[in-house]
Amino acid sequence: MSSRGATAVLSRASRIRSKLQTALEATVLEVDDVSYQHAGHAAVKGSSDKETHFNLNIVSPKFEGQSLVKRHRLIYDLLADELQSGLHALSIVAKTPHETNPSK
Amino acid sequence: MATSLSNMFLKGIAARSLSRPLNGLFYCTRYSTTVSNDSDTHDDFKPANKLENSGISLSNVIEQDVKDNPVMVYMKGVPDFPQCGFSSLAVRVLKHYDVPISARNILDDPDLKNAVKAFSNWPTFPQIFIKGEFIGGSDIVLNMHQTGELKEKLKDITSKQ
């Protein structure tokens, strides 16, 4: 059992979720693999890796006071290893808890 | 023959360093013709080496692009023929506004692609610059379109500029 656990390989989606949750302490973290929508995409032809496109929806207090560019840049920095190893594109929605509940 | 080859590559380099692309297709076609049709190219004539030796820096090219063109897009494909959904989305949003869109196709030039990533410290494409400012990718451009920010930012740019 332990050896099976030791040899398990996390999917890219799991790695992404883990990295983002650890750094951002997100109250909402949705990681959707939409790679199937981009199958045959010219720029990723020949890629043996199937997990190439993800939609991210993240709500985190870490985004407070940050512009959209800075929020996206923060996320890209956290996922730099994935972008270097086959992750092709991310669609990002990044908000603070306040922005999702303006009336509070 | 040597003279002819030299002239051919000098034109290629000149095209690459145009400060204002006439249009992406023009840039793309010239560059491709210069490089891809000549399998016998000697290393001494390869554009990358020539570019390095001539002192033309790709980061200078980008800096000039961004400065000279009020709306500058580095994308996959060209505005009339995007080769990626995200690049297509960004161009479709920008076309809502009556502004000239300048673009370079990063699929044609791996060195340009890497230079743009380094310039903006942003790992994906498309990348949009407006009046010299890095704006972001298609998500951010769409968001700014929806909030009205994009209209504000583009309001003093006209197609006659």
Side-chain angles (χ1 to χ4, degrees):
Chain A
M1 183 171 291
S2 63
S3 66
R4 273 180 53 200
T7 58
V9 177
L10 286 178
S11 69
R12 190 188 297 283
S14 299
R15 296 198 302 271
I16 288 174
R17 177 178 295 277
S18 175
K19 291 176 181 178
L20 295 177
Q21 188 61 48
T22 299
L24 300 175
E25 297 162 19
T27 57
V28 172
L29 177 56
E30 296 169 2
V31 179
D32 296 326
D33 186 344
V34 291
S35 307
Y36 61 92
Q37 294 179 14
H38 300 265
H41 187 176
V44 290
K45 278 180 181 173
S47 171
S48 60
D49 195 327
K50 301 305 178 189
E51 296 174 282
T52 56
H53 291 70
F54 288 85
N55 292 347
L56 304 179
N57 180 23
I58 307 166
V59 178
S60 163
K62 302 286 189 180
F63 296 141
E64 199 70 45
Q66 303 291 308
S67 68
L68 274 190
V69 171
K70 287 183 177 175
R71 295 179 191 189
H72 287 215
R73 199 187 293 284
L74 171 60
I75 291 163
Y76 282 134
D77 285 349
L78 292 171
L79 302 180
D81 286 349
E82 304 296 335
L83 287 159
Q84 291 289 339
S85 62
L87 175 61
H88 174 72
L90 297 168
S91 289
I92 299 170
V93 175
K95 296 184 174 179
T96 65
H98 176 72
E99 286 164 355
T100 58
N101 294 287
S103 60
K104 284 189 175 179
Chain B
M1 175 62 88
T3 300
S4 169
L5 283 174
S6 177
N7 288 341
M8 189 181 300
F9 294 122
L10 284 173
K11 284 182 180 177
I13 291 169
R16 187 193 243 195
S17 63
L18 280 176
S19 62
R20 178 182 289 269
L22 299 182
N23 61 61
L25 187 59
F26 174 80
Y27 173 84
C28 167
T29 302
R30 280 190 61 166
Y31 189 73
S32 293
T33 300
T34 301
V35 175
S36 62
N37 289 357
D38 195 338
S39 59
D40 292 327
T41 303
H42 188 278
D43 280 355
D44 284 348
F45 293 112
K46 289 190 188 302
N49 292 338
K50 204 68 171 180
L51 197 68
E52 285 163 17
N53 293 338
S54 69
I56 298 174
S57 156
L58 270 173
S59 65
N60 286 343
V61 169
I62 297 162
E63 194 171 324
Q64 202 66 41
D65 276 354
V66 164
K67 179 182 175 187
D68 287 351
N69 301 285
V71 177
M72 183 71 210
V73 183
Y74 293 91
M75 60 184 284
K76 294 181 174 177
V78 296
D80 289 340
F81 188 58
Q83 296 184 51
C84 158
F86 300 107
S87 291
S88 173
L89 172 61
V91 168
R92 274 187 282 122
V93 167
L94 290 168
K95 283 184 175 179
H96 275 95
Y97 304 90
D98 187 22
V99 298
I101 300 172
S102 304
R104 286 191 192 272
N105 181 357
I106 53 91
L107 288 178
D108 279 340
D109 189 344
D111 290 334
L112 175 66
K113 181 181 184 184
N114 290 328
V116 175
K117 286 182 177 182
F119 183 85
S120 58
N121 187 26
W122 189 269
T124 62
F125 291 91
Q127 297 190 18
I128 297 96
F129 294 80
I130 296 178
K131 289 183 284 186
E133 178 190 0
F134 176 65
I135 298 301
S138 55
D139 286 346
I140 292 177
V141 162
L142 178 59
N143 182 276
M144 291 173 72
H145 171 63
Q146 290 166 339
T147 61
E149 267 182 275
L150 194 55
K151 183 175 181 179
E152 276 300 301
K153 205 170 275 289
L154 295 172
K155 66 182 178 180
D156 59 343
I157 301 172
T158 70
S159 58
K160 297 173 185 173
Q161 181 162 346

